[in-house]
Amino acid sequence: MEVRSENLRRYEIDTGNLLDAVFRSYRLSIERLDPVGLWRVGRGKIADRSREVYFVRSCERGAVSTVCDVLGSHGKCCVFAPTRASSRTLSQQLSCVVIGLEDVIDWQDHAFLLDDDAINGRFGSLETLPKPTKSKPKRSTRAAAIEALRQELNAHIVAAADHAFDTEARTGTPVLLPRPTQAELAARINVSAPTLSRCMEDRSAPELRILWDAADDVYEVMKWRKLAAKNRR
């Protein structure tokens, strides 16, 4: 149940105990890294590899600056923020994957439960996509980036469809897996933000815009599931 933020000021949140309860399935090494609200949680197996896991409690301007200084070189880690909105704010500043806890957490049998499939889906094919090389001509490099972006969006739609069908089966209502930001996509396929923007606007690849729009609609990703899976093979 959503609680108005001003009502929370009457409470003192024990973040360490909260993280211990939420991430109990990970190898915990909980440590507060700064007074503003950056925590090291430990390590967890995410998307078939062991990753450092962090939690950012505050997304105020000063806190975001601190987080960027500490995690700027940690491109393979997984960062959690409390809400979808705060994760989007951080995603604009970090190259690593940022996930809002409200999108991947549930309460079952008197305990927190993380949706591992949804978390893994945010990484998609992060480490398996082909990367453009400097020796290729400019158009060839653009074509490689477009293909990598197409695969990334297809992979996300497959994961989002799985998540939607699963939540519909469990609760009766499909839930959308948040679409990665363009900054996240650029980091995943190892291109600059301007290059990614040019790929999205390239007239030779109109399907990128279609995939991008579909990824932001839960019913569209459910319809696109079979096509996205076919394109991914």
Side-chain angles (χ1 to χ4, degrees):
M1 181 175 69
E2 185 175 358
V3 179
R4 295 172 62 184
S5 58
E6 55 266 28
N7 291 340
L8 293 175
R9 296 193 181 103
R10 72 184 72 178
Y11 303 110
E12 181 177 347
I13 307 299
D14 189 329
T15 305
N17 279 339
L18 174 65
L19 297 178
D20 183 70
V22 169
F23 297 99
R24 67 187 188 283
S25 62
Y26 291 2
R27 192 170 73 226
L28 298 178
S29 180
I30 297 173
E31 177 187 4
R32 187 171 186 169
L33 299 181
D34 77 285
V36 179
L38 173 62
W39 294 73
R40 178 185 290 114
V41 175
R43 300 191 71 88
K45 187 175 182 181
I46 302 173
D48 296 324
R49 68 170 290 169
S50 177
R51 300 179 188 274
E52 290 184 302
V53 178
Y54 295 87
F55 175 74
V56 179
R57 176 171 167 173
S58 172
C59 283
E60 295 178 356
R61 182 175 300 177
V64 171
S65 177
T66 299
V67 170
C68 291
D69 290 342
V70 176
L71 301 183
S73 61
H74 293 61
K76 305 294 185 181
C77 71
C78 183
V79 178
F80 288 89
T83 66
R84 183 182 306 160
S86 57
S87 70
R88 287 176 176 171
T89 298
L90 285 170
S91 293
Q92 302 298 323
Q93 305 294 326
L94 295 173
S95 61
C96 52
V97 173
V98 185
I99 301 173
L101 271 181
E102 69 171 329
D103 290 320
V104 296
I105 198 169
D106 200 357
W107 179 258
Q108 292 185 10
D109 299 325
H110 308 290
F112 290 113
L113 180 66
L114 288 174
D115 187 338
D116 292 330
D117 290 339
I119 295 171
N120 292 338
R122 293 297 302 275
F123 284 82
S125 51
L126 179 62
E127 282 130 10
T128 61
L129 294 176
K131 298 179 181 179
T133 59
K134 293 182 179 179
S135 60
K136 292 182 179 180
K138 183 176 181 181
R139 182 64 215 177
S140 177
T141 301
R142 173 85 64 82
I146 288 173
E147 178 57 28
L149 182 56
R150 180 187 294 112
Q151 292 186 34
E152 188 67 42
L153 288 170
N154 276 321
H156 172 77
I157 287 177
V158 170
D162 289 342
H163 181 62
F165 283 119
D166 178 65
T167 53
E168 183 181 44
R170 288 189 289 108
T171 68
T173 303
V175 176
L176 179 67
L177 189 68
R179 181 181 64 185
T181 65
Q182 292 196 15
E184 286 178 329
L185 289 171
R188 292 182 191 184
I189 66 173
N190 196 32
V191 300
S192 66
T195 296
L196 185 129
S197 180
R198 286 192 289 271
C199 289
M200 295 292 289
E201 296 171 0
D202 196 304
R203 293 184 178 180
S204 69
E207 70 274 20
L208 292 182
R209 295 299 309 181
I210 298 173
L211 290 169
W212 172 257
D213 292 338
D216 203 34
D217 186 310
V218 67
Y219 296 105
E220 283 297 316
V221 300
M222 295 170 79
K223 287 195 298 184
W224 273 81
R225 179 177 184 173
K226 290 183 179 179
L227 177 61
K230 180 179 178 181
N231 290 341
R232 196 180 176 196
R233 288 196 290 267

